Amino acid sequence: ETGVTQTPRHLVMGMTNKKSLKCEQHLGHNAMYWYKQSAKKPLELMFVYNFKEQTENNSVPSRFSPECPNSSHLFLHLHTLQPEDSALYLCASSHEGLPNTEAFFGQGTRLTVV
Amino acid sequence: GDSVTQMEGPVTLSEEAFLTINCTYTATGYPSLFWYVQYPGEGLQLLLKATKADDKGSNKGFEATYRKETTSFHLEKGSVQVSDSAVYFCALSDNGGSQGNLIFGKGTKLSVKP
């Protein structure tokens, strides 16, 4: 496998459920990110992990809980979500410290909260 | 804070027409600038980038020039194809920060008719 892989591609969950989104990268990158893409809004950066350490949390509600067990895997644990959390959640990775690099994105998980 | 503004869509063109999607930015430092493309049902793919003033990024017939004096990074293509139908995002990253820590515009949807 190559690139950034996200699973599942689609997820429907109730407001009382607990679920997790998974992201995996096989690019040898050392930084991973979660973005939220909602209709009619710019992509919003949620979390940044650099060398497995969380370096940014952009005022994201605590019902979203990230986990980065190693530099290749990133999770987003979800609990007691609201319907307005329905969106496309995109994972990205990059190699920090190298010049002239860029971020690579996964295909996203389409989340619907009912 | 830093921000990106791009023209509202949707943009509808006939095949072989000339394309321009305007993008302007506000940044305190000297950011890197990017155009990402999102095809239907997919994640984001990097289309082109420029890391300093007067650089021109190009890929697949698309071009954009980093204009510091006008704080712009307009995307152009001389002859669009149906396969170019997608949503295009202009983005910037603070060169002092992570390459995946991106600020995006709202996106411009392009539809190319045969």
Side-chain angles (χ1 to χ4, degrees):
Chain A
E1 292 186 20
T2 58
V4 181
T5 304
Q6 291 186 241
T7 54
R9 292 291 306 276
H10 301 272
L11 177 62
V12 179
M13 61 185 287
M15 289 189 284
T16 58
N17 290 159
K18 289 185 180 181
K19 297 286 184 183
S20 296
L21 309 185
K22 179 182 177 182
C23 177
E24 191 171 354
Q25 60 94 2
H26 300 279
L27 300 168
H29 289 167
N30 55 16
M32 298 186 77
Y33 313 80
W34 281 116
Y35 280 86
K36 177 182 179 182
Q37 185 178 23
S38 304
K40 302 187 188 305
K41 292 177 67 175
L43 278 85
E44 302 169 73
L45 180 65
M46 301 175 72
F47 301 105
V48 179
Y49 276 83
N50 212 327
F51 297 97
K52 300 184 297 178
E53 298 293 324
Q54 185 176 314
T55 58
E56 193 151 342
N57 175 341
N58 284 343
S59 304
V60 179
S62 59
R63 57 185 184 270
F64 295 91
S65 174
E67 179 190 1
C68 189
N70 55 61
S71 58
S72 299
H73 294 85
L74 183 66
F75 295 89
L76 188 63
H77 303 301
L78 315 171
H79 65 96
T80 60
L81 294 192
Q82 304 298 311
E84 60 264 29
D85 297 322
S86 299
L88 181 68
Y89 288 85
L90 290 165
C91 174
S93 70
S94 66
H95 198 128
E96 295 310 304
L98 281 183
N100 203 30
T101 59
E102 68 262 3
F104 289 79
F105 284 78
Q107 292 181 301
T109 295
R110 174 69 63 187
L111 173 67
T112 303
V113 180
V114 297
Chain B
D2 295 355
S3 65
V4 174
T5 303
Q6 61 182 104
M7 61 187 288
E8 295 284 327
V11 174
T12 303
L13 297 173
S14 297
E15 207 165 21
E16 299 184 2
F18 184 85
L19 168 71
T20 300
I21 300 178
N22 290 337
C23 172
T24 56
Y25 67 90
T26 302
T28 52
Y30 300 94
S32 293
L33 302 174
F34 306 83
W35 277 101
Y36 279 84
V37 58
Q38 185 176 34
Y39 297 102
E42 302 291 323
L44 274 68
Q45 300 175 27
L46 179 67
L47 181 60
L48 54 85
K49 67 177 183 180
T51 58
K52 60 183 187 298
D54 299 325
D55 270 2
K56 177 187 282 187
S58 61
N59 185 27
K60 299 182 182 179
F62 291 89
E63 293 183 341
T65 301
Y66 190 141
R67 300 285 187 200
K68 184 170 179 289
E69 63 276 14
T70 54
T71 61
S72 64
F73 193 55
H74 305 321
L75 182 68
E76 296 183 335
K77 186 174 186 181
S79 176
V80 294
Q81 306 300 312
V82 173
S83 57
D84 294 325
S85 298
V87 181
Y88 292 81
F89 294 90
C90 186
L92 69 81
S93 74
D94 179 346
N95 272 331
S98 304
Q99 288 293 319
N101 190 337
L102 295 160
I103 296 172
F104 285 90
K106 290 186 177 181
T108 302
K109 183 175 182 179
L110 170 67
S111 295
V112 180
K113 307 299 183 185

